[in-house]
PDB file of all heavy atoms in Angstrom:
ATOM      1  N   VAL A  91      65.333 109.256 184.935  1.00 98.00           N
ATOM      2  CA  VAL A  91      66.283 109.287 186.047  1.00 98.00           C
ATOM      3  C   VAL A  91      65.546 109.268 187.382  1.00 98.00           C
ATOM      4  O   VAL A  91      64.530 109.946 187.555  1.00 98.00           O
ATOM      5  CB  VAL A  91      67.181 110.543 185.929  1.00 98.00           C
ATOM      6  CG1 VAL A  91      68.120 110.657 187.109  1.00 98.00           C
ATOM      7  CG2 VAL A  91      67.972 110.484 184.637  1.00 98.00           C
ATOM      8  N   ALA A  92      66.088 108.483 188.294  1.00 98.00           N
ATOM      9  CA  ALA A  92      65.540 108.406 189.652  1.00 98.00           C
ATOM     10  C   ALA A  92      66.617 108.777 190.653  1.00 98.00           C
ATOM     11  O   ALA A  92      67.813 108.599 190.391  1.00 98.00           O
ATOM     12  CB  ALA A  92      65.045 106.995 189.944  1.00 98.00           C
ATOM     13  N   ALA A  93      66.192 109.287 191.806  1.00 98.00           N
ATOM     14  CA  ALA A  93      67.121 109.485 192.923  1.00 98.00           C
ATOM     15  C   ALA A  93      67.049 108.254 193.820  1.00 98.00           C
ATOM     16  O   ALA A  93      66.144 107.432 193.695  1.00 98.00           O
ATOM     17  CB  ALA A  93      66.729 110.739 193.699  1.00 98.00           C
ATOM     18  N   GLN A  94      68.015 108.145 194.719  1.00 98.00           N
ATOM     19  CA  GLN A  94      68.070 106.967 195.598  1.00 98.00           C
ATOM     20  C   GLN A  94      67.424 107.212 196.960  1.00 98.00           C
ATOM     21  O   GLN A  94      67.333 106.303 197.779  1.00 98.00           O
ATOM     22  CB  GLN A  94      69.525 106.533 195.789  1.00 98.00           C
ATOM     23  CG  GLN A  94      70.196 106.100 194.501  1.00 98.00           C
ATOM     24  CD  GLN A  94      71.657 105.767 194.703  1.00 98.00           C
ATOM     25  OE1 GLN A  94      72.130 105.553 195.818  1.00 98.00           O
ATOM     26  NE2 GLN A  94      72.396 105.725 193.609  1.00 98.00           N
ATOM     27  N   ASN A  95      67.000 108.453 197.190  1.00 98.00           N
ATOM     28  CA  ASN A  95      66.297 108.774 198.437  1.00 98.00           C
ATOM     29  C   ASN A  95      65.798 110.211 198.335  1.00 98.00           C
ATOM     30  O   ASN A  95      66.161 110.934 197.395  1.00 98.00           O
ATOM     31  CB  ASN A  95      67.204 108.628 199.656  1.00 98.00           C
ATOM     32  CG  ASN A  95      66.419 108.305 200.921  1.00 98.00           C
ATOM     33  OD1 ASN A  95      65.186 108.277 200.923  1.00 98.00           O
ATOM     34  ND2 ASN A  95      67.121 108.075 202.010  1.00 98.00           N
ATOM     35  N   VAL A  96      64.969 110.621 199.258  1.00 98.00           N
ATOM     36  CA  VAL A  96      64.441 111.986 199.235  1.00 98.00           C
ATOM     37  C   VAL A  96      64.085 112.415 200.661  1.00 98.00           C
ATOM     38  O   VAL A  96      63.623 111.596 201.466  1.00 98.00           O
ATOM     39  CB  VAL A  96      63.194 112.070 198.315  1.00 98.00           C
ATOM     40  CG1 VAL A  96      62.056 111.180 198.816  1.00 98.00           C
ATOM     41  CG2 VAL A  96      62.699 113.506 198.158  1.00 98.00           C
ATOM     42  N   ALA A  97      64.323 113.685 200.949  1.00 98.00           N
ATOM     43  CA  ALA A  97      63.942 114.227 202.257  1.00 98.00           C
ATOM     44  C   ALA A  97      62.429 114.434 202.306  1.00 98.00           C
ATOM     45  O   ALA A  97      61.771 114.482 201.268  1.00 98.00           O
ATOM     46  CB  ALA A  97      64.651 115.552 202.490  1.00 98.00           C
ATOM     47  N   TRP A  98      61.874 114.568 203.519  1.00 98.00           N
ATOM     48  CA  TRP A  98      60.417 114.741 203.629  1.00 98.00           C
ATOM     49  C   TRP A  98      59.996 116.205 203.698  1.00 98.00           C
ATOM     50  O   TRP A  98      58.824 116.490 203.731  1.00 98.00           O
ATOM     51  CB  TRP A  98      59.842 113.958 204.794  1.00 98.00           C
ATOM     52  CG  TRP A  98      60.470 114.268 206.131  1.00 98.00           C
ATOM     53  CD1 TRP A  98      60.222 115.336 206.920  1.00 98.00           C
ATOM     54  CD2 TRP A  98      61.458 113.485 206.804  1.00 98.00           C
ATOM     55  NE1 TRP A  98      60.991 115.279 208.050  1.00 98.00           N
ATOM     56  CE2 TRP A  98      61.753 114.140 208.010  1.00 98.00           C
ATOM     57  CE3 TRP A  98      62.106 112.278 206.511  1.00 98.00           C
ATOM     58  CZ2 TRP A  98      62.672 113.647 208.922  1.00 98.00           C
ATOM     59  CZ3 TRP A  98      63.027 111.789 207.412  1.00 98.00           C
ATOM     60  CH2 TRP A  98      63.297 112.470 208.603  1.00 98.00           C
ATOM     61  N   GLU A  99      60.977 117.108 203.761  1.00 98.00           N
ATOM     62  CA  GLU A  99      60.640 118.530 203.750  1.00 98.00           C
ATOM     63  C   GLU A  99      61.181 119.154 202.467  1.00 98.00           C
ATOM     64  O   GLU A  99      62.153 118.658 201.897  1.00 98.00           O
ATOM     65  CB  GLU A  99      61.287 119.241 204.943  1.00 98.00           C
ATOM     66  CG  GLU A  99      60.762 118.796 206.298  1.00 98.00           C
ATOM     67  CD  GLU A  99      59.328 119.241 206.580  1.00 98.00           C
ATOM     68  OE1 GLU A  99      58.827 120.139 205.886  1.00 98.00           O
ATOM     69  OE2 GLU A  99      58.723 118.662 207.500  1.00 98.00           O
ATOM     70  N   LYS A 100      60.579 120.268 202.052  1.00 96.00           N
ATOM     71  CA  LYS A 100      61.056 120.841 200.799  1.00 96.00           C
ATOM     72  C   LYS A 100      62.320 121.690 200.992  1.00 96.00           C
ATOM     73  O   LYS A 100      63.071 121.900 200.045  1.00 96.00           O
ATOM     74  CB  LYS A 100      59.960 121.598 200.066  1.00 96.00           C
ATOM     75  CG  LYS A 100      59.417 122.841 200.724  1.00 96.00           C
ATOM     76  CD  LYS A 100      58.331 123.364 199.778  1.00 96.00           C
ATOM     77  CE  LYS A 100      57.794 124.712 200.017  1.00 96.00           C
ATOM     78  NZ  LYS A 100      57.554 125.278 201.265  1.00 96.00           N
ATOM     79  N   GLU A 101      62.547 122.127 202.215  1.00 98.00           N
ATOM     80  CA  GLU A 101      63.818 122.784 202.545  1.00 98.00           C
ATOM     81  C   GLU A 101      63.936 122.851 204.063  1.00 98.00           C
ATOM     82  O   GLU A 101      62.966 122.558 204.776  1.00 98.00           O
ATOM     83  CB  GLU A 101      63.888 124.206 201.967  1.00 98.00           C
ATOM     84  CG  GLU A 101      62.816 125.135 202.494  1.00 98.00           C
ATOM     85  CD  GLU A 101      62.895 126.532 201.871  1.00 98.00           C
ATOM     86  OE1 GLU A 101      63.618 126.721 200.882  1.00 98.00           O
ATOM     87  OE2 GLU A 101      62.229 127.425 202.409  1.00 98.00           O
ATOM     88  N   GLY A 102      65.090 123.231 204.544  1.00 98.00           N
ATOM     89  CA  GLY A 102      65.217 123.398 205.989  1.00 98.00           C
ATOM     90  C   GLY A 102      66.536 122.901 206.520  1.00 98.00           C
ATOM     91  O   GLY A 102      67.455 122.571 205.766  1.00 98.00           O
TER      92      GLY A 102
END
Side-chain angles (χ1 to χ4, degrees):
V91 176
Q94 297 176 17
N95 207 355
V96 62
W98 55 79
E99 295 290 344
K100 66 181 192 322
E101 61 181 12

